[in-house]
Amino acid sequence: MKALLSCLLLVTSCASNTYIRSIESDDIKRLITLEDGIYTGAAPDGAAAFAALVELGVTTVVCVDSAQPEVELAASYGLKYIHIPIDYDKIDENAQLSVKRMMSEGADEVYYFHCHHGMHRGPAVAAIALRQRSGCSAESALAVLELAGTSKEYPGLWRDVREWKNSDVSELPELHEVAPIESFAGGMAKLDRNWDRIKLLRKNNWQVPATHPDLVVLNEARQTRDLLRGCADDVPSELIDNADFIKRIEQAAIYGNELFNALDNKKSEAVEVSYKELKSSCVYCHRKYRND
């Protein structure tokens, strides 16, 4: 494993200087250390990533994504998992109180917070953990989001980090290795990962890249289609009466089906059209329904 290289960003906290570092790692994407025993980055991908976390001194991995964390693989490296799935629009009370419980019960634990890409939700919850553990200022915590590249299109994440206050609630939520997840959210989490692979295949002209010889083009397109269909059939209760959302998710499912059929029939022009339509549809829905 190559040595970890770090680039320092000096941030002034309420009590002292806190060095938030972006760490270059071959095994963990977008790795940042917040000091005070807190790290954040992308989801650990494979054994090498968990080994790298152990090398950093991490003892507990915290997943804030809806996808089921790799509990067994983590355990094989002596790492515990805590699963606190959140949405892109806010860090809800349950999540904030779960962080409070972690920080109060695990004073000696070293935590690694992650979402999928390590840019938005993971750094935001890690910043809340930093405020809870160190008592640092909002300015210092928001610098974590700046360094991570957290999008301003998710204003709720920025708001909740900025406006965090230490709750005086004494009854704190139970912590789970794998939290119960609404099926729609779980489907979208899987779709997020599937779409990363679809983008990779498109970039490689729909040929299997040498870096990912395990990918099968039609299998990935089939998964896109099936996941979209499943999400369209299982709309969450708060959106079930939203005609615009229903129309959009149904249309996305149609685009997913068209993408699969175009690839199956080797119609390159139709593949590109359906890919762009599906991408545009997803961007619209995320901006309107996920980013608020």
Side-chain angles (χ1 to χ4, degrees):
M1 183 182 302
K2 292 183 179 179
L4 298 176
L5 304 176
S6 61
C7 174
L8 302 185
L9 175 67
L10 177 60
V11 180
T12 302
S13 74
C14 56
S16 62
N17 287 336
T18 298
Y19 288 89
I20 299 172
R21 301 194 296 268
S22 177
I23 303 177
E24 185 178 326
S25 170
D26 291 335
D27 303 307
I28 306 171
K29 295 179 181 177
R30 301 187 177 92
L31 177 61
I32 295 173
T33 174
L34 285 57
E35 293 201 346
D36 282 305
I38 300 172
Y39 294 86
T40 185
D45 186 10
F50 285 103
L53 291 177
V54 172
E55 185 175 309
L56 289 169
V58 170
T59 56
T60 300
V61 184
V62 183
C63 174
V64 303
D65 193 13
S66 293
Q68 181 169 319
E70 295 192 77
V71 173
E72 292 183 4
L73 181 56
S76 71
Y77 285 87
L79 295 167
K80 295 177 289 186
Y81 240 115
I82 295 174
H83 191 197
I84 310 171
I86 69 165
D87 294 326
Y88 287 81
D89 61 337
K90 62 183 176 181
I91 306 171
D92 61 28
E93 183 182 28
N94 179 76
Q96 295 200 34
L97 292 177
S98 294
V99 170
K100 179 180 175 70
R101 179 167 184 170
M102 283 192 299
M103 295 298 107
S104 61
E105 295 183 355
D108 297 325
E109 297 286 335
V110 178
Y111 293 98
Y112 178 73
F113 290 82
H114 75 82
C115 46
H116 178 27
H117 295 293
M119 292 182 66
H120 311 298
R121 293 166 296 165
V125 179
I128 292 287
L130 180 65
R131 297 203 70 182
Q132 180 74 56
R133 175 170 272 186
S134 71
C136 75
S137 66
E139 181 183 8
S140 296
L142 290 170
V144 177
L145 278 63
E146 293 282 0
L147 185 58
T150 304
S151 175
K152 294 294 178 67
E153 292 186 350
Y154 303 134
L157 299 180
W158 290 82
R159 177 201 63 223
D160 290 341
V161 171
R162 182 178 59 252
E163 298 179 2
W164 173 87
K165 288 182 174 56
N166 191 8
S167 172
D168 59 1
V169 173
S170 57
E171 189 170 339
L172 300 175
E174 183 180 354
L175 301 177
H176 302 274
E177 276 192 323
V178 180
I181 300 172
E182 185 180 359
S183 56
F184 182 87
M188 280 295 173
K190 291 179 181 178
L191 186 61
D192 196 26
R193 285 157 171 72
N194 163 259
W195 192 246
D196 281 347
R197 299 190 292 271
I198 289 290
K199 288 190 293 185
L200 178 63
L201 289 169
R202 177 181 179 258
K203 185 177 180 181
N204 203 50
N205 199 29
W206 301 104
Q207 301 299 312
V208 178
T211 53
H212 287 273
D214 55 317
L215 296 183
V216 179
V217 176
L218 280 182
N219 284 354
E220 294 300 330
R222 183 181 293 107
Q223 187 177 37
T224 304
R225 178 197 66 187
D226 293 348
L227 285 168
L228 284 166
R229 185 68 264 165
C231 289
D233 289 341
D234 194 19
V235 174
S237 57
E238 65 270 20
L239 291 170
I240 197 68
D241 295 323
N242 188 316
D244 178 68
F245 180 81
I246 298 297
K247 176 184 176 181
R248 295 285 177 174
I249 192 67
E250 290 284 353
Q251 187 62 60
I254 291 171
Y255 291 146
N257 186 57
E258 289 175 351
L259 176 64
F260 172 78
N261 289 336
L263 285 166
D264 191 26
N265 293 306
K266 298 180 173 57
K267 295 182 177 180
S268 57
E269 185 175 340
V271 168
E272 186 64 10
V273 169
S274 56
Y275 171 86
K276 288 181 177 179
E277 287 179 331
L278 179 54
K279 178 182 177 181
S280 177
S281 175
C282 291
V283 168
Y284 173 88
C285 271
H286 284 186
R287 285 179 177 168
K288 187 172 179 65
Y289 297 106
R290 191 176 78 172
N291 303 357
D292 293 340

